[in-house]
Amino acid sequence: MSEYTYNPVQLVEPGQNVILNDNIPCRRGYVLHREESGIVILRGITNNCFARYQVTFNGNIALPADATAIVPISVALAIDGEPVQTSRAIYTPAAVDEYGNVTSTAIITVPRGCCFTVAVENASAVVDGVAPEINVQNANMTVSRIA
């Protein structure tokens, strides 16, 4: 199991990634991460047809204090830059700067010899022509190889 965290509040623009730091890095070379990056690389190192990983994100999200409207906000796991819609975690705050805890999980199958990038992305929907920025605090992503 690998774990990546980032505890301070970070402002994440729409479609951008949550920044993570190594906490428990993978020592076997299956999972790679560059410090202060939001991207984790899953490698298909296996003698079988594929390697399978369970990726889970947990964190607190809120609208920044200068937000102009109270709208639903969300994060999702993204594979190679594309959000996995079934991993989307949505929270509707009652006020700005009010945090809610969200969790998102996906099982990701990587073919032998391939690599996929995984990130946690601000996947908030466009409301009145604008997608909101979000604050993320206590970001935590775990990656477990399950097959």
Side-chain angles (χ1 to χ4, degrees), residues 130-146:
V130 178
E133 300 173 326
I134 62 171
N135 281 340
V136 179
Q137 187 174 29
N138 300 327
N140 181 312
M141 183 167 71
T142 58
V143 179
S144 298
R145 183 159 174 165
I146 58 176

Side-chain angles (χ1 to χ4, degrees), residues 63-133:
L63 285 166
D66 62 351
T68 57
I70 306 301
V71 296
I73 54 177
S74 66
V75 295
L77 294 171
I79 300 173
D80 290 340
E82 183 177 348
V84 178
Q85 293 304 317
T86 56
S87 74
R88 194 173 193 181
I90 302 169
Y91 170 65
T92 304
V96 297
D97 210 27
E98 179 181 285
Y99 284 84
N101 187 266
V102 294
T103 299
S104 176
T105 298
I107 303 296
I108 301 170
T109 301
V110 182
R112 178 176 53 209
C114 292
C115 295
F116 287 162
T117 62
V118 178
V120 179
E121 184 176 293
N122 174 354
S124 299
V126 175
V127 176
D128 295 329
V130 178
E133 300 173 326

Side-chain angles (χ1 to χ4, degrees), residues 35-73:
E35 193 73 6
E36 293 291 325
S37 164
I39 297 174
V40 173
I41 300 170
L42 306 179
R43 298 179 66 199
I45 300 174
T46 182
N47 291 327
N48 299 318
C49 295
F50 59 83
R52 186 165 282 157
Y53 298 88
Q54 178 176 329
V55 179
T56 301
F57 170 78
N58 182 268
N60 299 312
I61 63 175
L63 285 166
D66 62 351
T68 57
I70 306 301
V71 296
I73 54 177

